[in-house]
Amino acid sequence: MNQSVTIDLTQAQEQKLASASPLNLWQKRLTILLFIQMLLVIGLFAYHQNSRVQVNAQSLLTVGMANIDRVVIQDANNKVTLQKVAGQWQLPEQQQLPVDKQKLDDILQKLEGTKLTWPVTTTASSHERFEVSDSKFQRHIKLFQGDNKKAELWLGTSPGFKKIHLRRAGEDQVYAVELTSFEFATEAKDWLQKDLLAVKDITTIKSADYALQKTADSWNFVSANQDETTEKVDANKVAELVSGLNNLQIQEVATQAPHGETTSVTVKSAAGEFQFEFVKTENEYFVKRSDQDNYFKLSQYEFERVANVTRASLLASEAVSNNTKTDPVSG
């Protein structure tokens, strides 16, 4: 690193220095030299730190995520396994139900892109303090390719916002990296594909007291023989119902079949025909689709936007008004 300082003195300044006492002149010169030395020290320190980052930065993992086909994540109480089968990520401990692929891709990409610089500590005695030891940790993560373990990591305490202490298997070094333990959930419900039962491109919806059919871009009531009726539908209400089926979000797998008030809804779409069974118990809500063996929990909001819809609620306002008019004489 080359640094140069050029000091130009005007003629007036030179005369002022010449008239100054020798002591004051030397003090000024020493001050200038001290300032130059400080600049050199700061420059050398910045250069050294920059060089250190460039030299020591290394990838957290030595394996590409495309080769990983099993992920095991564990905390002190729970453990979840995510398995790739025929190119699809599944939950093997929950009837091979599909994993939220986007969520899993996000954390795998983060792991693959994480870089390590200098460690926070290099002593084994500090592992428990940072909660990255074999017996005390916040997350224990193992990545496999087939039966071969390709990486093993421990995540511990957080040194700051969106950062966490991390240790690799077989090493004493502990690093601070930009990850969080919340991203590495340890329960199957947190990895379940929440839109598993959603149905797109719907053409027909039937329930106990109504039947709707889509023709071109409009929805109409139909009779049992599929003929359109004269009653008009409220386009906004039907759109809300369709949206509820298009975007139906489940929460988790039910531990047993629920018993309670049941509402059935049949839907036809480009993907086929599906029968939904919505069940309301005392304080919980469930749904089952005909092509799935499990009941799933869902929120009250998701339940009501489909199961609570009736023919009367779908009628256009003018149709409701006509149906409720009374004879003015008899009235």
Side-chain angles (χ1 to χ4, degrees):
M1 176 180 293
N2 296 322
Q3 296 197 16
S4 61
V5 177
T6 303
I7 304 174
D8 295 326
L9 300 176
T10 63
Q11 185 175 1
Q13 289 173 325
E14 289 177 350
Q15 291 175 354
K16 186 177 180 181
L17 286 173
S19 62
S21 67
L23 180 59
N24 289 338
L25 187 60
W26 276 107
Q27 285 180 338
K28 291 180 179 180
R29 288 175 177 174
L30 289 173
T31 301
I32 293 171
L33 287 173
L34 180 60
F35 178 71
I36 293 172
Q37 287 177 332
M38 289 177 63
L39 288 177
L40 287 171
V41 169
I42 293 171
L44 287 170
F45 179 78
Y47 175 78
H48 175 70
Q49 291 295 90
N50 184 57
S51 300
R52 186 177 180 182
V53 170
Q54 292 178 354
V55 171
N56 292 346
Q58 59 177 305
S59 296
L60 169 64
L61 303 175
T62 58
V63 60
M65 291 298 99
N67 299 316
I68 298 301
D69 55 24
R70 181 158 54 105
V71 179
V72 180
I73 308 173
Q74 181 179 358
D75 62 15
N77 303 308
N78 302 295
K79 182 172 74 171
V80 64
T81 299
L82 314 174
Q83 179 88 43
K84 185 189 282 187
V85 179
Q88 302 297 318
W89 284 96
Q90 302 175 349
L91 293 161
E93 295 157 357
Q94 290 206 324
Q95 300 86 45
Q96 288 73 48
L97 289 170
V99 166
D100 184 336
K101 185 177 181 300
Q102 186 60 56
K103 181 176 180 178
L104 179 57
D105 284 346
D106 287 345
I107 67 160
L108 292 180
Q109 288 172 10
K110 279 190 176 183
L111 287 175
E112 191 171 30
T114 296
K115 302 292 183 182
L116 305 179
T117 54
W118 56 89
V120 175
T121 178
T122 59
T123 61
S125 59
S126 66
H127 293 174
E128 287 210 3
R129 176 161 57 94
F130 290 110
E131 297 186 18
V132 291
S133 69
D134 293 356
S135 58
K136 187 177 183 181
F137 54 85
Q138 292 194 13
R139 295 292 187 272
H140 183 194
I141 303 166
K142 290 182 281 189
L143 307 177
F144 293 86
Q145 182 179 4
D147 294 329
N148 299 319
K149 184 166 60 178
K150 292 296 185 179
E152 187 171 11
L153 310 169
W154 283 267
L155 304 183
T157 56
S158 173
F161 181 63
K162 290 187 176 181
K163 283 195 172 185
I164 202 165
H165 288 120
L166 174 147
R167 181 175 71 86
R168 295 188 290 192
E171 297 182 358
D172 289 334
Q173 294 93 327
V174 177
Y175 301 90
V177 297
E178 292 186 359
L179 297 170
T180 67
S181 59
F182 301 107
E183 296 172 293
F184 298 87
T186 58
E187 294 189 62
K189 67 179 181 180
D190 295 316
W191 292 103
L192 179 64
Q193 180 183 323
K194 298 301 192 294
D195 63 351
L196 174 62
L197 304 186
V199 181
K200 308 292 185 182
D201 302 320
I202 298 173
T203 57
T204 302
I205 307 172
K206 294 180 183 179
S207 188
D209 69 338
Y210 70 83
L212 293 165
Q213 184 168 306
K214 186 178 183 181
T215 305
D217 292 328
S218 63
W219 285 89
N220 298 285
F221 286 120
V222 292
S223 61
N225 59 4
Q226 300 300 305
D227 293 330
E228 291 187 11
T229 67
T230 57
E231 290 180 305
K232 300 298 182 181
V233 301
D234 185 320
N236 291 330
K237 293 294 184 181
V238 175
E240 290 175 8
L241 171 60
V242 173
S243 177
L245 291 163
N246 287 166
N247 304 289
L248 186 66
Q249 298 285 303
I250 57 177
Q251 295 177 334
E252 61 181 297
V253 180
T255 55
Q256 59 185 6
H259 299 283
E261 181 184 342
T262 302
T263 301
S264 297
V265 178
T266 301
V267 173
K268 284 185 180 180
S269 73
E273 182 172 303
F274 304 96
Q275 288 79 42
F276 287 90
E277 182 182 334
F278 292 89
V279 183
K280 177 184 178 183
T281 63
E282 185 176 351
N283 54 9
E284 290 184 308
Y285 303 87
F286 302 86
V287 64
K288 183 180 184 298
R289 204 173 75 177
S290 53
D291 60 327
Q292 296 286 334
D293 296 329
N294 300 287
Y295 281 90
F296 299 89
K297 283 186 179 182
L298 73 167
S299 68
Q300 180 179 353
Y301 168 75
E302 294 288 349
F303 177 90
E304 291 179 349
R305 68 195 302 212
V306 177
N308 283 9
V309 174
T310 62
R311 185 183 187 88
S313 67
L314 293 170
L315 283 170
S317 57
E318 61 268 23
V320 175
S321 177
N322 290 335
N323 288 340
T324 56
K325 283 182 179 179
T326 59
D327 186 333
V329 176
S330 62

